[in-house]
C-alpha cells in the first residue's frame, strides 16, 4: 500500500511539474516579441496609434513642453501591444510617410514583483521603446519653414505607410499636432477654401475612406495669424472631413501659451 501511495504521489508531482513547464512555455510564447518592432509575435499589434506632426512654424517653449508632456501621456495611457508610428506634414512629398513601427512592450508599472524583474523590465522599456520613440519625436518636432501645408495629403501618406493600419480591425487612433491650416493645390484656407468649395472640386473625388471607427485627437497649435477670418470654417471642415472618412468626431485640445 505504501509503495502504491508513493508511486501515485510521484506521478502527481511529475504532473504538477509538467503542467508548470507547459504553462511557462505557453506564457513565454504568448509574450514573445518581434525583435525589431517589439510587437507580439503571435497576434501582431493589439492597437495602433499614428501621430502626424504639422510643425512648419516654430512652437513656443511653453507649447513645446506641453506637446511633449501630452504625447508622453498618450504613450503612457496606451495599452500594451499598441503600435506607434510618426509622420510629418511637409511641402516635400519625399518626407511623407511613417517611421518604422514600434509596439509598446510591458512597462514596469505592470510588472509582477514576485515573478518578474521590475528593474530589468524598466530598462528594456526605456532603451528599446520609449527612448527611441521619444528621440524620433524630438527630431521631428522642429520647424523647417514651408510655403505649403498639405495636411490631408501627409495624413493619408502616414496611414498608407503604417504597416497594417488601413485593414486593422482593432482600436485605431490618429493624433494630429497642427494649426489645421490646410494649404495645398487640393484646398487652401488661405485662398478662402471651405468644405463646400472642396466638395465641389475635383479633389473631393480623391478623398479616401481609411479611418473607419478611428479615434481622432487634435492638439491644435494656435498661430498669431490663423489665416482665416472665421475659425468656425476650420472646425466645420475638419469635422466633415473626418466624418467622411468614417472616423469619430475629433477631440480638439489647444496648445496655448498664455
Amino acid at each position: 500500500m505504501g509503495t502504491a501511495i508513493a508511486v501515485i504521489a510521484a506521478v502527481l508531482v511529475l504532473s504538477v511539474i509538467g503542467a508548470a513547464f507547459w504553462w511557462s512555455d505557453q506564457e513565454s510564447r504568448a509574450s514573445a516579441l518581434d525583435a525589431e518592432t517589439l510587437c507580439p509575435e503571435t497576434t501582431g499589434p493589439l492597437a495602433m496609434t499614428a501621430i502626424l506632426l504639422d510643425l512648419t512654424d516654430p512652437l513656443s517653449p511653453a507649447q513645446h513642453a506641453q506637446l511633449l508632456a501630452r504625447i508622453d501621456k498618450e504613450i503612457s495611457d496606451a495599452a500594451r501591444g499598441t503600435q506607434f508610428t510618426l509622420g510629418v506634414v511637409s511641402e516635400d512629398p519625399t518626407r511623407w510617410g511613417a517611421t518604422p513601427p514600434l509596439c509598446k512592450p510591458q512597462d514596469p508599472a505592470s510588472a509582477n514583483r514576485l515573478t518578474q524583474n521590475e528593474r530589468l523590465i524598466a530598462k528594456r522599456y526605456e532603451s528599446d521603446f520609449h527612448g527611441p520613440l521619444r528621440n524620433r519625436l524630438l527630431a521631428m518636432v522642429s520647424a523647417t519653414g514651408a510655403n505649403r501645408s498639405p495636411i490631408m495629403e501627409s495624413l493619408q501618406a502616414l496611414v498608407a505607410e503604417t504597416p497594417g493600419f488601413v485593414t486593422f480591425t482593432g482600436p485605431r487612433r490618429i493624433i494630429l499636432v497642427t494649426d489645421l491650416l490646410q494649404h495645398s493645390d487640393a484646398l487652401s484656407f488661405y485662398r478662402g477654401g471651405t468644405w463646400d468649395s472642396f466638395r465641389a472640386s475635383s479633389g473631393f473625388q480623391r478623398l479616401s475612406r481609411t479611418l473607419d471607427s478611428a479615434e481622432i485627437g487634435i492638439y491644435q497649435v494656435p498661430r498669431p495669424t490663423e489665416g482665416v477670418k472665421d475659425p468656425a470654417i476650420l472646425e466645420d471642415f475638419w469635422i466633415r472631413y473626418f466624418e467622411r472618412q468614417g472616423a469619430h468626431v475629433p477631440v480638439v485640445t489647444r496648445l496655448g501659451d498664455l
Side-chain angles (χ1 to χ4, degrees), residues 53 55 59 63-72 141 177 255:
L53 302 165
L55 299 171
L59 295 173
Q63 290 170 333
H64 187 274
Q66 279 188 63
L67 173 60
L68 294 182
R70 290 184 183 280
I71 295 298
D72 263 345
V141 180
V177 182
L255 294 178

Side-chain angles (χ1 to χ4, degrees), residues 62-93:
Q63 290 170 333
H64 187 274
Q66 279 188 63
L67 173 60
L68 294 182
R70 290 184 183 280
I71 295 298
D72 263 345
K73 190 174 188 307
E74 292 277 359
I75 296 170
S76 177
D77 290 347
R80 179 178 174 183
T82 297
Q83 174 184 281
F84 285 89
T85 52
L86 305 171
V88 294
V89 176
S90 173
E91 61 182 340
D92 179 3

Side-chain angles (χ1 to χ4, degrees), residues 3 28 35-36 61 72 82 113 146 159 174 213 254 257:
T3 301
S28 178
E36 291 187 6
D72 263 345
T82 297
R113 294 184 179 181
V159 167
I174 294 285
S213 300
R254 288 175 68 89
D257 57 357

